[in-house]
Amino acid sequence: MTTLRGTPEGDEATTRRRRYVDVTGRSLALLGVLFVFTYTVYVLWPDRPQTATTVIFVILIATWVIFIVDVVIRIALTPRGRRWHYAWHHPLEVLSAILPVFRALRVVGLLQDLPLLKRHTPSAVRAQFIILALAYATAWVFFLALATLQAERDAPGANITTFGDAIWWALVTIATVGYGDTYPVTALGRFYAVLLMAGGIAIVGTASATIISYLNERVAGLRHAGAGLAPPSLSTGEQPDPAATHSLPPEEPAAPERPTGAAG
């Protein structure tokens, strides 16, 4: 198999990169969990002692440096001519070295190693897609709410001053409702709002496409089973028992109407 510029996909450099990813992938995901936990403590514990602040900053900076080094190594292990291609097709890895919010999304990749999500039946693939989509959406909302709270709470005229306010604002924004009762007033907070709105469009669009795909699959299944079977329950999604389901009897033709005034 060849890719860009005819370079074989199984060359030595690509094999080394894959081996490196296999060895470090789970450790980096756990490091991402540590980063998210530490950043959560940093935001939600504003009255912490100086010792705790020092430890928190050491962990945050160390994890950031490790993620930058990881991205550099992965790109360096990619053969020349395919490095830009690799960076373009792995945006979370590149962006995680730039913005902390994308570091939180890389944590979700740990879910893909669960045995439950490695099956390849149609129902398992759909379940995997739904679980990962919910996990990505949750991580996106949670971390951006934290980041916005950190940027807003001490700003003059701020109305996002508690974590509850931040979560409410994030959910309203990502759902494209936009009540306007809470809103960012700082430049950084508004930048996070733009990211949240972009994610909201993607999440709502993905959810709509998933629901439509599921309904189309159900309708196709009914057509394949035959129009004589009772439809499945929309509340439970259970298929009818063919042995207990009977075809509808044919309708009897209606009796012809008698002309008005005809003799009895």
Side-chain angles (χ1 to χ4, degrees):
M1 176 182 178
T2 59
T3 56
L4 297 179
R5 299 188 180 183
T7 308
E9 181 64 24
D11 57 88
E12 182 181 356
T14 302
T15 303
R16 284 186 293 147
R17 188 195 69 209
R18 290 178 177 175
R19 189 181 303 118
Y20 169 80
V21 171
D22 292 339
V23 171
T24 62
R26 183 166 299 185
S27 299
L28 287 170
L30 294 175
L31 192 65
V33 172
L34 176 63
F35 172 83
V36 173
F37 175 78
T38 305
Y39 188 77
T40 303
V41 173
Y42 169 70
V43 175
L44 299 184
W45 189 17
D47 300 327
R48 58 192 174 273
Q50 183 60 38
T51 304
T53 301
T54 302
V55 173
I56 287 173
F57 272 103
V58 168
I59 293 176
L60 293 179
I61 294 174
T63 53
W64 194 347
V65 171
I66 291 173
F67 273 100
I68 293 175
V69 172
D70 171 66
V71 172
V72 172
I73 292 176
R74 292 188 185 211
I75 294 177
L77 291 178
T78 303
R80 293 183 180 180
R82 278 185 279 162
R83 291 176 178 174
W84 285 110
H85 180 266
Y86 177 83
W88 178 258
H89 286 82
H90 297 81
L92 284 183
E93 296 178 9
V94 177
L95 290 174
S96 65
I98 303 173
L99 293 175
V101 62
F102 293 100
R103 217 162 304 145
L105 294 183
R106 285 194 67 184
V107 177
V108 181
L110 182 63
L111 295 175
Q112 300 181 17
D113 294 330
L114 296 176
L116 178 64
L117 300 180
K118 289 187 176 181
R119 293 180 297 176
H120 299 290
T121 62
S123 58
V125 171
R126 186 188 300 112
Q128 175 183 357
F129 176 81
I130 294 174
I131 291 173
L132 290 177
L134 289 175
Y136 277 116
T138 301
W140 188 251
V141 171
F142 178 78
F143 199 90
L144 279 176
L146 282 176
T148 304
L149 175 62
Q150 178 63 22
E152 291 287 313
R153 96 176 123 199
D154 296 326
N159 53 74
I160 302 177
T161 57
T162 66
F163 184 61
D165 294 337
I167 286 291
W168 167 253
W169 165 80
L171 291 175
V172 168
T173 301
I174 204 168
T176 68
V177 176
Y179 286 116
D181 52 347
T182 54
Y183 52 88
V185 297
T186 65
L188 184 58
R190 289 172 179 172
F191 172 71
Y192 291 142
V194 171
L195 293 180
L196 197 58
M197 286 183 277
I201 294 173
I203 291 171
V204 171
T206 302
S208 301
T210 303
I211 293 173
I212 293 173
S213 175
Y214 174 75
L215 292 178
N216 287 338
E217 183 178 330
R218 301 291 290 175
V219 171
L222 287 176
R223 290 176 178 172
H224 181 73
L229 295 178
S233 172
L234 293 178
S235 59
T236 62
E238 295 180 353
Q239 293 285 355
D241 183 4
T245 308
H246 303 282
S247 300
L248 296 176
E251 295 184 359
E252 297 182 359
E257 296 184 359
R258 301 176 62 182
T260 305

